[in-house]
Structure formats: C-alpha cells, structure tokens
Amino acid sequence: MPAPAWDALFPPGYPFTRHSFLSALERHGCVGGDSGWEPCHLLAETEDGTLAGAVPLYLKQHSYGEFVFDFGWAEASQRIGRRYYPKLLCAIPYTPATGPRLGARDEETRAALASHLAELGRGLGAPSMHALFAEEPDQALLREAGMLERQDIQFHWFNRSYGGFDDFLARLSSDKRKKVRQERRRVAEAGIRFEWRSGHELRASEWAEVFDLYANTYEERGQAPYLSLPFLEDCGSSPDTPLRFALAYDGPRLVAMAMTLQGGDTLYGRHWGSAGRYHALHFEACYYQGIEYSIAQGLRRYDAGTQGEHKLARGFDPVITRSAHVLADERLHKAVAAHLQRETAFVELRHAELLRHVPYKEGAS
C-alpha cells in the first residue's frame, strides 16, 4: 500500500508505526520467513478503495520479542487440549513502547477496528488476539470491545523544564544526587567520552561496529539478535531518520553504544551494547546520556524501555503500561480474566509503593 496513505492514519511523532519502519522490518527479514512473525496487517477501506484505517497485525507462532509474557497462558491452553498458536498480535515487533495501535481517519473507523480485532480473537481468525502497549484512547476502545486489560510497570524520565543536567540533579534527594555524580565520574575517569550521532551520519564501517555491539548483547544471552544490519542501515539512511546513537569511545575505539529513536516529544531507548566491562557505563550510556540529550533537545519524556527498578533511583518515574487480550476458548478466557483481576491489584499496589520512593526531594517531583 502507498506509504503516505498508511502514515496519514497515525500520529507523525510516533516512529514505530511509520510505514518506512514496519516495511523495513519485512524487507530485511526481521519479520516474516522463519521469524515467527507473519505480517497480516488489518486494513479498512471505503467503497471506493480509499484507505480509512490500518492496524499493524501479525500472526505469531511463539511469544518471543513481545515483552508481555503469556507463556503460562499457552501452557494452560495446551493442558486443556486447545492450540494457542498461531495467535494474532497487534504490536510493533520487538518494541515495548506505548503508542497508537489503531490508525484511523475518524473515530467511527477506529471503534470499528477495535471491535473487529476483538472478534478475530474470539475465533474468527485465531485462538486469541492480543494488542500490546496501546495508548489509552485505543486501549479504551479495546476494553469497550470486550478485551481483557493487563497492566505492567515501566520507568520513564520526565523533563520538568530543566535548563541542564545540573538542574535535574538539583531536584534529586542528596543521596541519589551523590550516587549519580559518582557513577558519571567513574565513567569519565575511565577516559570514556561520548558523541551523539543521527543514523544518517554514520559511515558504513561505523554501522558495522554499532551492529556488532548490539548483537553482542544478545549473544551474551545465547540469543540471535532480532534486528539485522541491513535493517538498521535502511532505517538510518535518510536525513529524517529517527535513529539516534550515543557512542562511547575509549580513545579512538568505539567501546559501547546506546541506540534510541526520537519522535515527537519523546526519546525512546531501545538497545545497547558494550565491548568491555566498564564501571557504570551502562547507566551512563542508557540513562544519563539520554536524559542529557532530552534536556538539550527540549524533549518531554525519555522512555528507556522495559524492566529495571534500578531506574527509579536515577530519576525515572514508574508508569503503568497496558495491553488487551481476548481468547476464543471460554474456559481459558475466564481463567485469564480471574488471573488478571488478581495481577492488576498487585500491579496497582506496586505502582503506588514505587511512587512513594521516587528520588526527588519533597515538593520537587
């Protein structure tokens, strides 16, 4: 389908629903083939063939690369003799970043897309349907369509009109401020310096180095990397690419990198890699560099990705993320609903407790 027609349905500031991003994943084999992610995007058209709505949709043969874990549901489905895969998944592959999921030219079409997704998960298309990291307007429509809501917690940094990194530090409690300064000093004393580059500013040899660092993170865990070098080069080749890299050098040698995407008022932290063991380098590359960059660029938010309560002590706030689910088997759907009721109560209690431990001085958060 034409890229302009697709892109017109989604907010321009969210980089992951851009036609160029999703099509590059397909073009370079990051999805499709034997990846377990089969693109089957949902489109809504008017009678004259005009594109009125679109949903990034995949038929999944497994539950990897999603960051919302349903392996227990799959096991329960197997125990009652029902297949769980392939399942339908409305998500951005390998990307736990909240954003739009229902692209539409009007609210009527958006509601119709939500309703249709729910029906697909009730057995019209697959044993289940899942929509991950949907922003609240879309999530509300999915709830109204009868899908179950699941919650989790991420940690995001918010720009409170800071003039610089020192202004941010001044808002932290004294012990947390001291810790951040110690970690940054250890990196500087190791002789590490940073440069920020947009994707289109990297030379071919630098792309290879960046990819090796990214891939090394997966190889250390015994996994193959989800993304490929041709995909990254493709996404980063245009002057308007959202890819931004914090590159760490020890002398002339590139020793670490943090890969981010900038869109709208937000910086999205996605991947990191290091060629050696340096004290506090992960915190510097993935947290402090992103905060400093966001302040300099006037961005409102830094979404540094999933997991990591250790982010709390470094100025990140706990935020609730949401996903939506419907399962065709009535027994399994009811069991999941009961589980989610208990899980949601726990998540909300945990969120409230985390909020009591934000690192900001009283009255400064």
Side-chain angles (χ1 to χ4, degrees), residues 45-123:
E45 296 181 343
T46 61
E47 290 184 359
D48 65 0
T50 301
L51 187 64
V55 175
L57 192 62
Y58 299 85
L59 197 63
K60 283 297 303 295
Q61 302 291 341
H62 53 65
S63 293
Y64 296 104
E66 299 176 13
F67 302 93
V68 175
F69 304 106
D70 62 348
F71 296 104
W73 303 357
E75 291 171 3
S77 183
Q78 185 178 26
R79 285 197 299 271
I80 64 173
R82 299 298 298 269
R83 67 185 178 95
Y84 194 76
Y85 304 108
K87 64 180 183 179
L88 281 170
L89 185 75
C90 168
I92 308 301
Y94 322 118
T95 306
T98 294
R101 296 294 179 264
L102 310 176
R105 67 178 188 178
D106 55 54
E107 290 308 306
E108 182 180 0
T109 303
R110 195 182 314 279
L113 289 171
S115 179
H116 191 62
L117 286 177
E119 289 302 317
L120 287 174
R122 293 188 178 99

Side-chain angles (χ1 to χ4, degrees), residues 278-301:
Y278 296 85
H279 183 82
L281 183 55
H282 175 262
F283 301 137
E284 177 65 37
C286 297
Y287 304 155
Y288 306 140
Q289 284 292 315
I291 290 172
E292 201 161 50
Y293 179 88
S294 296
I295 294 172
Q297 296 294 315
L299 302 178
R300 184 185 67 86
R301 181 170 62 105

Side-chain angles (χ1 to χ4, degrees), residues 6 10 39-44 53-59 86-92 99-104 108-135 137-148 323-328 333:
W6 175 284
F10 293 94
C40 56
H41 306 309
L42 176 63
L43 305 179
V55 175
L57 192 62
Y58 299 85
L59 197 63
K87 64 180 183 179
L88 281 170
L89 185 75
C90 168
I92 308 301
R101 296 294 179 264
L102 310 176
E108 182 180 0
T109 303
R110 195 182 314 279
L113 289 171
S115 179
H116 191 62
L117 286 177
E119 289 302 317
L120 287 174
R122 293 188 178 99
L124 296 183
S128 61
M129 170 69 215
H130 311 263
L132 310 184
F133 299 102
E135 62 185 10
D138 290 350
Q139 183 73 13
L141 290 173
L142 295 168
R143 285 196 302 266
E144 291 173 13
M147 297 183 71
L148 303 173
S323 55
H325 312 266
V326 61
L327 300 100
H333 185 86

